[in-house]
Amino acid sequence: MTELLHAFERNLPGQPMYVGVDDSVLRPLKALGYDATMMGTEFSVDLAGFSLRGKAMKQLRHARNLHRRCAVTVREQEGQDVDWHQVAGVSDAWRERKAVKERELGLLTRPPVFGDEWGVRKFYAYIDGQLAGYVFFDPWFHDGRIGGYCANILRASPEMNRLGVLDHIVLQAMSQFRDEGVPEVSLGIAPLHGVRPWAGDRKGLRWAQHGLYRYGNRLYAFAPLAYHKSRYRGRETPWFVCTKNMSSARVVATLLKGTGLLPVP
C-alpha cells in the first residue's frame, strides 16, 4: 500500500488529500506523515446473522411488510427492461426536495448512471405498476470474489418514499444477496456522524465537523441520513480524512466544494 501511495502521489498534479479512508489506508498514510481526523461512519450489515426480530427493528419490519398494504413488487432488472425516462423522472423529483437541486453530489458517493453497468445490481420497486423507487448496489471484491455490495443510489418519488419503499427494496435485495451467499451489504457512509477524538487528529477540524453536523442539516441531511442507516443495527466503521500541510479551513472548503455542496466557479 505504501508503494502504491508513493506512485499515486508522484503522478498527482496537486496537493493530495485522502477522503473516506479506513484503517487499512490510514496506517501507511500516517507513516508518510499525514494526520487523520475522523469524518464519518460507515454502516455495514453481515447478512448471515441479520434479523428483523426485536423491538429495535420494528420500523424495518413495517417496511418489509409493505406488500401487505399496497400492491408493491421489487425486481432486479437489466437496462433493456427499464424505462429510463421514468427512472430519470423519479431522480428529478427526488432531488427537487434536496438543498442542492441543480447538480449531483459527488466525492463521498458516485452519481447515478441510468443504464447498465458492469457488476452493479439495480433493483426497482413498482406500486400498482408504476415505478416508485430504486436502489443501485455497487460491488466490491476480495481476492477475485464478491465481498459484498454497497447501497450507493437510493431514490424514490416523495409520496412513495413516505411508505417506506426504499427500505423495502433494500431488505428484498439483502434477502436475495444472502441466498446467493453474499456475506455483507454496506449502507454507505454517514458523513460527520459519530466524529470523535482520535490520536493525532485536528481538534479544529473536528469541531468544525461537529458544527456542520448540528447546524448544517439545511445544507445536507447529515443527521437524518445517519439515523436512517443506524436503524439496521449494523457494524459501524470510522472513516477518515487525511491531510498534510493543509489548514483546517482549507480542508472544510475543499470537502464542501468536492462534494458539490458548495458551487465551484
Side-chain angles (χ1 to χ4, degrees):
M1 179 62 73
T2 301
E3 293 178 2
L4 181 64
L5 293 170
H6 272 305
F8 168 69
E9 293 191 1
R10 282 196 301 268
N11 290 279
L12 192 70
Q15 185 175 4
M17 180 172 72
Y18 296 86
V19 181
V21 303
D22 64 8
D23 189 61
S24 65
V25 182
L26 180 67
R27 283 179 280 113
L29 282 176
K30 281 193 170 183
L32 294 175
Y34 283 83
D35 57 52
T37 303
M38 192 175 168
M39 57 156 293
T41 303
E42 181 189 20
F43 291 84
S44 303
V45 177
D46 295 320
L47 294 181
F50 181 70
S51 171
L52 292 178
R53 292 191 296 270
K55 183 178 180 180
M57 308 301 274
K58 180 179 179 180
Q59 288 182 313
L60 291 183
R61 285 198 303 273
H62 184 74
R64 180 195 60 187
N65 296 329
L66 179 61
H67 64 283
R68 298 179 182 176
R69 303 188 298 277
C70 61
V72 59
T73 58
V74 176
R75 307 173 199 151
E76 182 180 7
Q77 292 180 290
E78 307 255 337
Q80 62 187 8
D81 301 318
V82 177
D83 185 333
W84 293 110
H85 292 292
Q86 287 188 28
V87 173
V90 168
S91 180
D92 290 342
W94 172 264
R95 285 172 50 197
E96 187 60 33
R97 299 204 171 193
K98 303 300 179 182
V100 180
K101 303 178 178 63
E102 66 277 6
R103 59 187 177 276
E104 294 283 357
L105 300 183
L107 192 61
L108 299 179
T109 185
R110 68 186 186 94
V113 174
F114 299 136
D116 288 330
E117 301 177 88
W118 180 87
V120 179
R121 310 279 293 271
K122 301 188 176 184
F123 291 78
Y124 303 85
Y126 297 86
I127 295 180
D128 295 324
Q130 295 296 314
L131 181 64
Y134 48 85
V135 181
F136 298 168
F137 292 87
D138 288 354
W140 75 84
F141 299 86
H142 292 303
D143 298 326
R145 296 183 179 182
I146 282 288
Y149 290 95
C150 176
N152 181 50
I153 297 296
L154 300 88
R155 299 200 173 172
S157 56
E159 60 274 13
M160 297 302 180
N161 190 38
R162 286 192 290 270
L163 297 175
V165 69
L166 289 177
D167 283 321
H168 185 75
I169 299 171
V170 170
L171 292 168
Q172 292 290 321
M174 287 171 59
S175 178
Q176 181 171 324
F177 293 153
R178 179 165 55 188
D179 291 344
E180 296 172 1
V182 175
E184 185 178 349
V185 161
S186 169
L187 303 172
I189 187 174
L192 309 188
H193 174 72
V195 172
R196 58 186 184 274
W198 208 266
D201 70 354
R202 295 187 180 202
K203 182 183 292 187
L205 180 56
R206 179 166 23 100
W207 285 1
Q209 291 185 101
H210 285 159
L212 273 172
Y213 188 80
R214 184 172 181 180
Y215 300 110
N217 285 277
R218 294 173 65 90
L219 183 67
Y220 184 84
F222 297 109
L225 180 65
Y227 169 73
H228 179 86
K229 296 177 188 293
S230 70
R231 293 179 305 149
Y232 285 78
R233 302 299 188 265
R235 183 177 66 258
E236 299 184 17
T237 303
W239 279 27
F240 300 87
V241 54
C242 299
T243 62
K244 184 165 56 176
N245 302 321
M246 188 181 295
S247 69
S248 296
R250 185 178 176 189
V251 172
V252 172
T254 301
L255 289 173
L256 290 176
K257 291 179 180 179
T259 54
L261 291 174
L262 289 181
V264 178

